[in-house]
Amino acid sequence: GPTIITMENEADLFYRQMPKVELHAHLNGSVSFSTIEKLMARKPHLNIEHNMTAILSGQKRTLDECFQVFKVIHQLIDTEEDILMVAKDVIREFAEDGVKYLELRTTPREDKNTGMTKRSYVQTVIEAIRQCKNEGLDIEVRLLVSVDRRHGVEVAMKTVKLAEDFMRSTDGFVVGLDLSGDPTVGHGGDLLPALQKAKNCGLKLSLHLSEVPSQVDESELLLNIPPDRIGHGTFLHPEVGGAQSLVDKVMKNNTPLELCLTSNVKGQTVSSYSNHHLLYWYQKGHPIVICTDDRGVFCTELSKEYQLAASTFSLSREAMWSLSQKAIDFTFAPDSLKQQLHQKWFELHPSLFQ
Ligand SMILES: CNc1ncnc2c1ncn2[C@@H]1O[C@H](COP(=O)(O)O)[C@@H](O)[C@H]1O
Ligand SMILES: [Zn+2]
């Protein structure tokens, strides 16, 4: 029959073709269903089903239940071979969605049974980035090493050392450190020495901050470092129980916020798309960047997040383009690469806005 191009299809295409920057993507949360299927075939004895690794559309979970999902995914991905396949698939899929610059983040894991060490884990992710580059994929990828706040300051210190070693030894692939993990466990303040050490040695810092309510004291301490970017910042502003002093600090330092709409709605820290704090910061003209967080777990795409933000807040395509272009300046990439990306955006603009 005839092909009917609906408005939705046309918008899908527009946001997929729009060049984009992804700055907040956890590797193991970004694994697509097709990759999960390959992993399940490798490990049939685990008896894992799809609804254990992803939160389908219309479904919601508590944040706590989201963290149970990561445990299942981690069971499926426990060898260097798995990591290589997963990282390559994730990079390829971001490229297919029109992402031109990707900062992946991941928590180094070791596995006594398979012989995987934290060092070989990071090495393997870097190998995947190299292979994708050699295959000519139209995407630049950099890596942030993640500190899981649940594991405490000693592990954090070791992770920082590992990140530092890789930053110095591997032609610029490792650019920073991420603080993540279940925000209801542990206190970010305990990790200050590790985060400070990372900052001092030249690693850029992206910190999950105020992802859940009642973390004013912790956020205050973390903002004093200060971080180079903030993940979520959902409960920073006074209207949601944060504090004006936190907002003032973020604004004084002009610290960009990484915002992940679907993640926050499906994890129920934000009650609906229209109540997302994107609007609060956007109206202030504060630097924000739209991200996916965990595109596999939350069943989304970066293009979809842009489309959702545009439709929820009635933002024009030019406004969305401008957001994606400004995000180039919030990357942890060197200036030369930022310039190349700006050039790419400049060249692609006419093809999207005739
Ligand atoms: C939903 N909001 C979130 N808040 C905090 N941390 C999160 C997160 N989503 C993911 N992670 C962090 O990323 C890990 C999975 O990827 P990697 O194994 O590191 O690649 C999770 O175990 C958690 O530590
Ligand atoms: Zn995150």
Side-chain angles (χ1 to χ4, degrees):
T3 309
I4 299 166
I5 298 178
T6 65
M7 289 305 286
E8 276 156 79
N9 277 333
E10 200 269 329
D12 284 352
L13 191 66
F14 176 85
Y15 285 106
R16 193 146 36 82
Q17 288 181 337
M18 192 173 89
K20 293 173 292 296
V21 166
E22 169 65 83
L23 299 183
H24 190 135
H26 300 272
L27 178 60
N28 286 274
S30 301
V31 186
S32 67
F33 181 50
S34 66
T35 306
I36 292 281
E37 278 186 315
K38 290 191 270 180
L39 293 161
M40 292 195 297
R42 285 181 183 182
K43 299 172 171 77
H45 57 280
L46 289 177
N47 284 319
I48 287 167
E49 286 163 29
H50 186 210
N51 65 3
M52 297 160 76
T53 64
I55 303 166
L56 304 178
S57 73
Q59 292 185 348
K60 288 182 182 183
R61 305 274 174 93
T62 63
L63 204 54
D64 195 49
E65 288 166 332
C66 294
F67 285 100
Q68 299 301 318
V69 174
F70 294 119
K71 278 194 192 143
V72 177
I73 297 174
H74 286 157
Q75 274 186 289
L76 273 173
I77 305 169
D78 65 351
T79 69
E80 288 160 28
E81 199 188 351
D82 296 338
I83 291 290
L84 186 70
M85 177 181 79
V86 160
K88 288 187 73 180
D89 282 2
V90 165
I91 293 169
R92 206 177 297 121
E93 287 157 352
F94 272 117
E96 283 165 6
D97 191 43
V99 173
K100 304 297 178 193
Y101 176 89
L102 165 66
E103 266 169 33
L104 270 179
R105 55 185 75 192
T106 195
T107 324
R109 270 185 292 134
E110 59 197 355
D111 192 301
K112 300 254 152 45
N113 297 322
T114 71
M116 182 168 76
T117 64
K118 291 186 178 185
R119 192 168 292 271
S120 74
Y121 180 104
V122 176
Q123 193 64 60
T124 307
V125 178
I126 292 170
E127 176 58 25
I129 298 174
R130 277 220 180 85
Q131 288 189 18
C132 287
K133 201 176 167 75
N134 292 339
E135 287 166 19
L137 281 186
D138 184 19
I139 184 169
E140 283 287 337
V141 186
R142 297 294 182 272
L143 187 62
L144 309 183
V145 177
S146 299
V147 166
D148 188 328
R149 53 182 291 147
R150 290 168 290 195
H151 299 154
V153 69
E154 272 174 45
V155 173
M157 276 292 188
K158 285 188 190 151
T159 306
V160 169
K161 178 76 175 60
L162 189 67
E164 189 183 348
D165 287 351
F166 276 107
M167 180 183 65
R168 297 192 196 289
S169 65
T170 55
D171 356 304
F173 284 122
V174 173
V175 292
L177 195 86
D178 156 54
L179 173 65
S180 53
D182 189 338
T184 63
V185 181
H187 197 287
D190 298 340
L191 304 176
L192 282 178
L195 301 173
Q196 201 71 61
K197 180 176 181 307
K199 178 118 189 152
N200 292 343
C201 79
L203 288 159
K204 298 285 187 182
L205 289 187
S206 170
L207 308 181
H208 283 61
L209 210 111
S210 289
E211 188 180 358
V212 292
S214 315
Q215 289 189 316
V216 173
D217 292 348
E218 176 184 302
S219 296
E220 188 95 43
L221 288 171
L222 294 177
L223 284 174
N224 284 342
I225 297 180
D228 298 283
R229 291 198 310 255
I230 292 167
H232 303 297
T234 313
F235 295 92
L236 282 172
H237 55 288
E239 287 101 291
V240 287
Q244 190 58 42
S245 61
L246 298 179
V247 173
D248 291 344
K249 258 184 203 156
V250 173
M251 291 191 68
K252 180 169 154 277
N253 289 321
N254 217 26
T255 315
L257 270 85
E258 305 154 353
L259 303 178
C260 315
L261 280 80
T262 299
S263 165
N264 297 158
V265 170
K266 284 196 171 178
Q268 299 185 71
T269 51
V270 170
S271 57
S272 69
Y273 284 98
S274 54
N275 283 328
H276 197 276
H277 50 295
L278 182 146
L279 192 62
Y280 176 90
W281 295 97
Y282 186 80
Q283 284 176 339
K284 286 189 170 348
H286 187 81
I288 55 172
V289 49
I290 294 174
C291 303
T292 54
D293 211 9
D294 301 289
R295 60 179 276 284
V297 171
F298 297 117
C299 298
T300 190
E301 296 284 350
L302 189 56
S303 57
K304 213 168 140 185
E305 296 298 303
Y306 269 81
Q307 207 177 333
L308 276 164
S311 60
T312 305
F313 301 110
S314 306
L315 301 175
S316 70
R317 289 182 176 188
E318 282 287 0
M320 298 315 291
W321 173 279
S322 167
L323 277 178
S324 98
Q325 188 177 22
K326 281 187 186 133
I328 296 170
D329 296 323
F330 314 145
T331 67
F332 298 156
D335 285 342
S336 56
L337 179 50
K338 286 183 186 172
Q339 276 172 26
Q340 284 174 37
L341 292 169
H342 275 297
Q343 182 62 27
K344 185 165 259 170
W345 262 244
F346 177 77
E347 283 164 10
L348 287 170
H349 189 268
S351 67
L352 275 110
F353 299 90
Q354 294 97 356

